[in-house]
Amino acid sequence: MAQGAVEYAKELSNGKGIPIVLHLDHGDTFELCKNCIDCGFSSVMIDGSHHSYEENVALTRKVVEYAHQFDVTVEGELGVLAGVEDDVKAEQHTYTQPEEVQDFVAKTGVDSLAISIGTSHGAYKFKPGQNPKIRLDILQEIEKRIPGFPIVLHGSSSVPQDIVKIINQHGGKLKDAIGIGEDQLREAARSAVCKINIDSDGRLAMTAAIRKVFAEKPEEFDPRKYLGPARDALKELYKHKNINVLGSAGHAYDK
Ligand SMILES: [Zn+2]
């Protein structure tokens, strides 16, 4: 599967004139990371955050030692995010402890670090009535200890309420789906945060577009007629994120 992903990514990036990375998200074993590196991925994440601190350090170090021989960069994780992503599930946040980051980065040699400051995987990040804020104070503490070191945020969808509304108006049942405000992400993006993972918003945008076609044209059965609009909606969404939230537009460069 990893090999297929590499071929597909190469094909897609061919002749586009922009640098493209192929990154493994939430690799949970050394073997999986090694397999992806051997197949040609440009970066991998080793998520050892569910292990003890010492085991996380040892596992991450092992992946870094292997990856760096091939010029592949490695993202590690400290602290546990709440939420569900594929088969990664945690009930509660364990915030990253700023006291640990310096030691972790030094001992493992990672190139970037995913931290837990209140973002979470999925579309239900906060309960109704809860203060939907991430802990930018912890981010600042971490930055003070490892100035300029690339920080990563996972689970950073904003769950746009206009999109949720379209889904629910067309037969969907997403109750109390709440995300991270785009203003908070903009603030994080201005700091040492260099990558912000946004997935649920893309899922929501595609679902809304497909549900709309199904509700408005129940006679439609050509996948091109509903997957096309879904793809357009996805493109629009990420264009908006890139330009207005992440401030990444126009920043692509080849090394
Ligand atoms: Zn993630």
Side-chain angles (χ1 to χ4, degrees):
M1 210 168 97
Q3 189 63 57
V6 172
E7 296 307 323
Y8 188 55
K10 273 186 191 156
E11 185 65 35
L12 284 178
S13 59
N14 235 343
K16 299 281 192 305
I18 53 167
I20 301 245
V21 302
L22 183 61
H23 175 73
L24 169 70
D25 197 24
H26 290 285
D28 56 352
T29 60
F30 170 77
E31 288 70 30
L32 175 60
C33 292
K34 179 182 181 296
N35 184 242
C36 289
I37 294 163
D38 292 346
C39 286
F41 276 52
S42 50
S43 57
V44 294
M45 174 192 192
I46 176 68
D47 180 359
S49 63
H50 297 270
H51 297 293
S52 71
Y53 180 77
E54 287 73 26
E55 283 167 347
N56 189 1
V57 167
L59 177 62
T60 306
R61 173 82 221 155
K62 193 174 170 190
V63 172
V64 168
E65 276 172 2
Y66 187 77
H68 282 183
Q69 297 174 65
F70 306 97
D71 218 10
V72 170
T73 52
V74 179
E75 174 185 338
E77 177 160 335
L78 252 190
V80 182
L81 270 67
V84 185
E85 182 178 67
D86 300 329
D87 49 4
V88 183
K89 186 174 190 285
E91 296 295 335
Q92 272 190 332
H93 299 291
T94 307
Y95 294 121
T96 305
Q97 295 177 31
E99 311 74 60
E100 288 183 346
V101 293
Q102 226 168 344
D103 185 66
F104 186 83
V105 164
K107 280 188 180 150
T108 59
V110 276
D111 302 285
S112 63
L113 182 67
I115 59 167
S116 171
I117 57 168
T119 61
S120 60
H121 296 125
Y124 300 89
K125 300 183 192 299
F126 299 98
K127 302 224 161 36
Q130 230 181 7
N131 182 16
K133 291 258 187 276
I134 55 173
R135 296 284 305 271
L136 291 169
D137 58 315
I138 299 180
L139 171 63
Q140 282 167 5
E141 276 305 308
I142 290 170
E143 275 195 282
K144 263 188 226 159
R145 288 172 156 90
I146 42 173
F149 192 81
I151 302 289
V152 178
L153 295 184
H154 281 241
S156 299
S157 281
S158 295
V159 190
Q161 292 303 304
D162 52 331
I163 298 180
V164 172
K165 205 170 157 191
I166 294 172
I167 292 174
N168 288 339
Q169 277 171 346
H170 296 86
K173 277 188 185 158
L174 297 179
K175 203 175 168 294
D176 301 328
I178 301 171
I180 316 284
E182 291 188 336
D183 51 331
Q184 293 179 68
L185 296 174
R186 246 193 311 267
E187 202 168 326
R190 270 194 282 265
S191 69
V193 171
C194 70
K195 177 160 77 73
I196 296 187
N197 292 7
I198 298 171
D199 178 31
S200 293
D201 286 353
R203 300 185 193 194
L204 291 168
M206 291 188 83
T207 301
I210 292 171
R211 280 201 174 277
K212 212 160 173 262
V213 176
F214 282 172
E216 287 169 1
K217 297 178 191 158
E219 70 284 2
E220 194 57 74
F221 67 96
D222 181 351
R224 279 163 286 211
K225 297 283 167 55
Y226 54 85
L227 293 180
R231 195 175 52 197
D232 292 343
L234 190 66
K235 257 194 212 166
E236 277 312 307
L237 177 98
Y238 283 116
K239 212 164 121 181
H240 158 72
K241 298 282 182 188
N242 248 352
I243 297 171
N244 303 318
V245 183
L246 307 176
S248 301
H251 286 241
Y253 67 94
D254 259 319
K255 340 184 222 188

